[in-house]
Amino acid sequence: MSVLIKGGTVVTAEWMDAADVLIDGETIGAVGAGLDAPEAEVVDATGRFVLPGGIDVHTHLAMPLGDIASSDDFYTGHVAAAFGGTTTHLDFANQSKGESLLAALDEWHARARDKACIDYGFHLTLTDVNKAVLDEIARLPQHGVSTIKMLMAYKGRIMVGDEDLFLAMRRARDAGILTMVHCENGDVIDILVREAVASGHVAPKYHALTRPPQLEGEATGRAIAMAEVLDAPLYVVHVTCEDALTRVREARARGSRVTAETCVQYLFFTADNLDTKGFEGAKWVCSPPFRQGKDHEVLWSALRDNSLSVVSTDHCPFDFETQTVLGRDDLSRIPNGCPGIEDRLQVLHEAGVNGGRFNLQRFVDLTATTPARVFGLEGRKGAIAPGCDADIALWNMEAERTISVKTSHSAVDYNLYEGMKVRGFPERVYLRGKLLVDGDRFLGEPGSGRYLHRRVVRSRNSHHERGR
Ligand code: URP
Ligand code: ZN
Ligand code: ZN
């Protein structure tokens, strides 16, 4: 079955021009002006922009947390992603204490397999490092996993100490695996949180006050130092502030193999949102926390100069009325995480492209093409090019919409962007050549999303990256 998308404006990270796209089965057969394919179903894309499906490399679907789990599973999260123009995501398979990495991976496969309706892959989060686990790292690429993650925060739960971080990063380097790190100083945060709770400072605003930006900056510098000593590639997840960004910039200026992302919500919200009346502010509890308005401009400029190369979501929703409320009397019990998988592209497009901060090509680069390159999917995902999977979103850049929980598809009872007006959104979304979203109709089937066996990427010195 072939489909000819005719008359649109194709946008890639490198170019943007009027062109047709021929879909041949699951992949893109040709891209060019005036394509002709008599057998193909013709889709009129006049006035539409033809973008690669988005790739969100940082999500937590159905993530267990004590007695609860993040509220979107691999069906509802995928439906939400698809309506937002995202056709691929990478989720974190979290190792439990005492568990092997491959057992954790099996668990996450079981969570996803029968529900998935977009394509997905897994990073492996190490929470309990020992000799057997270190030995397992080299086996991950055989299972399609080319990235591990460790957290320098959440002491006593999933945090790893410096020794484990260093040892695992070294093994990852040897196996060609990229190490991702959540950089916050968990030891100091743990003291500050315990002291806050003991003093009765349990309101959501103390979440930000107990996790100051210096502690993100310090931990970012520490992770970078280890990566440089090892000459290992490092990916810093969810950078929020100037303190951290300065470390990333300096490392990249030295040519270190350091790549960093921010998550879209850090471009919009501040610590003031945590101080919303009553307990409402708990909707904005995520780690690292929201910062100050001045940090937004720092992040935007880093997205322009490629100090930040990826925008993801850290989508980890908790239902406010049934889950977030568990932390009403104790800030340390508020489940950390925000929704955003459906909104990422629209709000970034609105503030980034319509707001004049960068162009559509850079938008595609940050949200699809670079994520594919960094995470072992280049040539398959993240581009409109012959041979790539036909994951395509047709955007109407003139249509306006007001974001609301009432029209969102995530299994969560609020939307952080409630009431925000956006101009431009994906009207039709294809996954591997099949129409997945058509206006407000969802056409995907549970179980039709495919696991992505990702390649290891021998990353280059940051001086050799494509300059922007
Ligand atoms: O608050 C957050 N970000 N929750 C999800 C886990 C993590 O730290 O990425
Ligand atoms: Zn994190
Ligand atoms: Zn996360």
Side-chain angles (χ1 to χ4, degrees):
M1 168 69 185
S2 54
V3 177
L4 182 60
I5 300 176
K6 242 190 146 28
T9 301
V10 172
V11 188
T12 75
E14 283 83 29
W15 57 272
M16 176 167 116
D17 211 346
D20 304 333
V21 179
L22 179 64
I23 301 175
D24 192 3
E26 295 200 339
T27 56
I28 295 174
V31 182
L35 293 185
D36 200 19
E39 309 290 295
E41 172 201 335
V42 175
V43 173
D44 180 7
T46 310
R48 302 293 181 265
F49 287 74
V50 184
L51 273 62
I55 302 178
D56 189 343
V57 299
H58 187 155
T59 64
H60 302 274
L61 298 180
M63 185 194 79
L65 184 67
D67 297 337
I68 61 173
S70 57
S71 59
D72 262 326
D73 65 12
F74 281 80
Y75 180 71
T76 60
H78 284 193
V79 173
F83 274 105
T86 290
T87 48
T88 294
H89 78 115
L90 303 180
D91 208 83
F92 292 90
N94 294 351
Q95 176 204 19
S96 300
K97 300 284 171 209
E99 190 180 34
S100 78
L101 300 184
L102 293 180
L105 186 60
D106 281 348
E107 261 185 60
W108 256 261
H109 274 299
R111 285 193 168 89
R113 195 175 294 120
D114 297 335
K115 295 192 169 170
C117 26
I118 65 169
D119 288 354
Y120 60 96
F122 294 120
H123 315 285
L124 217 313
T125 306
L126 278 60
T127 64
D128 190 6
V129 179
N130 53 44
K131 184 175 178 313
V133 165
L134 289 172
D135 289 343
E136 257 191 308
I137 291 174
R139 294 171 58 198
L140 293 175
Q142 287 162 241
H143 299 266
V145 175
S146 55
T147 38
I148 61 167
K149 180 191 178 196
M150 285 168 283
L151 297 97
M152 299 167 86
Y154 303 112
K155 185 169 183 181
R157 289 173 34 214
I158 50 177
M159 170 173 148
V160 300
D162 286 354
E163 188 178 340
D164 291 340
L165 179 59
F166 185 81
L167 291 173
M169 199 187 278
R170 179 157 64 193
R171 291 296 190 97
R173 175 205 64 188
D174 293 346
I177 287 174
L178 172 64
T179 299
M180 308 165 77
V181 181
H182 171 135
C183 301
E184 284 186 292
N185 186 319
D187 285 321
V188 177
I189 288 169
D190 187 58
I191 295 170
L192 297 179
V193 171
R194 280 191 282 115
E195 288 177 356
V197 172
S199 317
H201 295 157
V202 293
K205 70 174 179 183
Y206 292 102
H207 178 71
L209 294 171
T210 53
R211 308 180 88 107
Q214 293 93 327
L215 299 184
E216 184 184 335
E218 181 279 326
T220 305
R222 197 159 19 113
I224 288 172
M226 290 186 209
E228 289 182 338
V229 167
L230 291 170
D231 189 19
L234 173 70
Y235 183 89
V236 182
V237 297
H238 49 40
V239 169
T240 71
C241 59
E242 187 160 21
D243 300 66
L245 200 51
T246 303
R247 265 69 169 209
V248 170
R249 279 213 165 96
E250 289 169 356
R252 290 174 63 83
R254 289 191 289 271
S256 303
R257 292 194 283 163
V258 175
T259 308
E261 68 170 15
T262 192
C263 298
V264 70
Q265 59 274 23
Y266 292 113
L267 298 162
F268 290 88
F269 304 108
T270 68
D272 291 346
N273 292 98
L274 289 153
D275 204 11
T276 307
K277 67 172 168 31
F279 187 62
E280 280 296 281
K283 292 176 179 172
W284 282 267
V285 168
C286 60
S287 296
F290 292 112
R291 304 298 187 187
Q292 305 301 320
K294 71 174 173 58
D295 292 297
H296 295 173
E297 282 318 313
V298 173
L299 296 178
W300 283 116
S301 99
L303 291 173
R304 278 192 296 274
D305 71 20
N306 206 37
S307 307
L308 292 172
S309 314
V310 172
V311 179
S312 66
T313 59
D314 200 4
H315 180 79
C316 188
F318 292 97
D319 200 58
F320 184 71
E321 291 297 338
T322 59
Q323 298 183 306
T324 307
V325 287
L326 297 172
R328 194 182 282 282
D329 301 318
D330 182 351
L331 131 99
S332 64
R333 298 190 58 215
I334 300 174
N336 283 211
C338 293
I341 202 167
E342 183 166 1
D343 311 304
R344 173 181 72 130
L345 297 177
Q346 295 172 63
V347 298
L348 185 69
H349 175 265
E350 176 60 29
V353 180
N354 292 345
R357 291 181 164 103
F358 45 68
N359 63 20
L360 257 182
Q361 289 162 235
R362 181 64 179 154
F363 173 73
V364 165
D365 198 5
L366 289 165
T367 57
T369 310
T370 293
R373 178 169 52 80
V374 172
F375 290 93
L377 295 168
E378 193 169 32
R380 186 168 173 196
K381 299 286 188 190
I384 305 279
C388 282
D389 284 357
D391 298 349
I392 295 173
L394 300 188
W395 283 63
N396 180 343
M397 297 305 188
E398 297 310 320
E400 298 192 354
R401 177 182 270 186
T402 302
I403 294 184
S404 172
V405 66
K406 295 195 194 90
T407 46
S408 300
H409 298 84
S410 271
V412 62
D413 56 357
Y414 69 96
N415 187 309
L416 285 187
Y417 304 93
E418 189 71 35
M420 180 172 161
K421 290 192 170 37
V422 295
R423 186 164 49 81
F425 57 85
E427 279 178 342
R428 286 186 139 213
V429 179
Y430 292 84
L431 174 69
R432 285 182 274 104
K434 273 191 142 171
L435 192 57
L436 190 61
V437 170
D438 187 12
D440 55 12
R441 286 192 310 143
F442 184 71
L443 305 171
E445 297 278 333
S448 59
R450 198 172 280 169
Y451 173 65
L452 296 166
H453 208 276
R454 294 182 294 123
R455 290 189 301 272
V456 296
V457 178
R458 300 285 167 185
S459 75
R460 292 163 294 188
N461 176 310
S462 61
H463 287 151
H464 297 119
E465 282 179 23
R466 278 192 295 250
R468 298 268 158 215

